[in-house]
Amino acid sequence: MQDILTKEAILKHMAVDCPRLDCFEIIDSTNSFLKREAIEGAPHGSAAVANCQSAGRGRLGRSFQSPPDRGIYLSVLLRPNLPGDALLCATGMAAVAVSRAVQRMTGVQVGIKWTNDLILNGKKLAGILAETVVIGGEIALVIGVGVNVHHRREDFSGEVADIAISLAMEGFAADRAALTAAMIEELYALGDALGGNISDYLVEYREHCVTLGREVLLVWSGEQRRAVALDIDDQFGLVVRCEDGAVTTVRTGEVSVRGLYGYAE
């Protein structure tokens, strides 16, 4: 199945106003585009979606494979008028927001791998990248989402082929325009919730986080430590118990989960 992402098709499915929506056949990165546009004064709620990215980006400087006609590559600009520490929850909340949109449009409930991956049957369905840009005294937030929709196995290359999955590969049909509209709506709701009561996001995150209760491998600056994931704190930090019994909270770095993405040691 191949469908076409257009501004008209996406807006047709939206129940809320979108102040600006840019659709591209190909772009370097929707996040990079909206960060540039934020500096130029793009309004709160601006969204950018691409049929293909030539330089899609993921967390920790990784690339994000973005072949044409297969996925949704979306970014939304939020101007929440909040200090930087109030935005620490954005990535975790975005995982919940996107999972809500996927469930609403396809009926499938996905899992969440701390901190920013959506998981379907043990493999990666979507990635999220939240970035800030400082403009004068304001901190703007750009949330980027890449979702594998119509991908076939041969559409993934390299090591990604072993860890990625798409909705189509698991038998779930999705209209990309409708799913894009649902994700924009959910990200707007996230923007409204930032700085306020986010307890419902925390409850859903904890309920669907596949990391909890499992052995994990923590990687910080090249060092590795084994631990067990215990909980998610109120800022979406991962609470772990290390092998020496110490309990700590992880907020940065890489966390591999036993049984996911090939980690089986």
Side-chain angles (χ1 to χ4, degrees), residues 30-31 48 53 64 72-76 94 98 118 126-129 143-147 183 187:
T30 56
N31 257 37
Q53 294 182 123
F64 188 91
I72 296 172
Y73 317 114
L74 165 72
S75 296
V76 170
V98 177
L118 297 188
I128 295 163
L129 177 64
I143 300 178
V145 184
V147 182
M183 289 196 295
L187 291 172

Side-chain angles (χ1 to χ4, degrees), residues 29-139:
S29 157
T30 56
N31 257 37
S32 296
F33 169 78
L34 271 191
K35 289 172 70 176
R36 296 190 294 264
E37 292 302 298
I39 295 171
E40 297 299 319
H44 172 83
S46 295
V49 62
N51 190 49
C52 176
Q53 294 182 123
S54 60
R57 295 184 293 111
R59 201 168 156 266
L60 301 177
R62 295 189 178 97
S63 63
F64 188 91
Q65 293 184 15
S66 313
D69 303 322
R70 300 299 179 191
I72 296 172
Y73 317 114
L74 165 72
S75 296
V76 170
L77 169 65
L78 303 175
R79 296 182 180 272
N81 193 28
L82 292 169
D85 58 359
L87 305 181
L88 294 175
C89 300
T91 298
M93 292 174 68
V96 173
V98 177
S99 70
R100 287 175 176 176
V102 171
Q103 199 280 331
R104 175 151 59 102
M105 301 311 300
T106 69
V108 62
Q109 178 61 65
V110 298
I112 301 171
K113 174 186 174 291
W114 191 89
T115 177
N116 66 326
D117 287 354
L118 297 188
I119 303 298
L120 182 58
N121 291 339
K123 293 194 174 184
K124 181 173 179 175
L125 176 70
I128 295 163
L129 177 64
E131 298 183 291
T132 57
V133 54
V134 180
I135 308 155
E138 178 201 26
I139 302 177

Side-chain angles (χ1 to χ4, degrees), residues 92-213:
M93 292 174 68
V96 173
V98 177
S99 70
R100 287 175 176 176
V102 171
Q103 199 280 331
R104 175 151 59 102
M105 301 311 300
T106 69
V108 62
Q109 178 61 65
V110 298
I112 301 171
K113 174 186 174 291
W114 191 89
T115 177
N116 66 326
D117 287 354
L118 297 188
I119 303 298
L120 182 58
N121 291 339
K123 293 194 174 184
K124 181 173 179 175
L125 176 70
I128 295 163
L129 177 64
E131 298 183 291
T132 57
V133 54
V134 180
I135 308 155
E138 178 201 26
I139 302 177
L141 177 66
V142 176
I143 300 178
V145 184
V147 182
N148 303 327
V149 181
H150 301 316
H151 295 65
R152 305 156 300 181
R153 175 61 57 201
E154 58 266 32
D155 293 317
F156 299 114
S157 62
E159 62 182 18
V160 173
D162 295 326
I163 67 172
I165 200 76
S166 73
L167 290 169
M169 288 167 63
E170 291 300 303
F172 296 101
D175 178 278
R176 286 192 300 162
L179 181 52
T180 298
M183 289 196 295
I184 294 172
E185 290 172 354
E186 292 292 351
L187 291 172
Y188 284 176
L190 177 162
D192 292 340
L194 272 172
N197 184 353
I198 62 169
S199 59
D200 57 335
Y201 286 88
L202 283 163
V203 168
E204 285 190 46
Y205 194 102
R206 290 171 178 140
E207 180 181 357
H208 301 299
C209 183
V210 301
T211 309
L212 295 183

Side-chain angles (χ1 to χ4, degrees), residues 236-260:
F236 293 89
L238 181 66
V239 182
V240 301
R241 180 184 293 112
C242 299
E243 289 182 306
D244 61 3
V247 175
T248 188
T249 301
V250 181
R251 302 199 184 278
T252 61
E254 180 70 8
V255 175
S256 297
V257 182
R258 182 184 289 276
L260 293 178

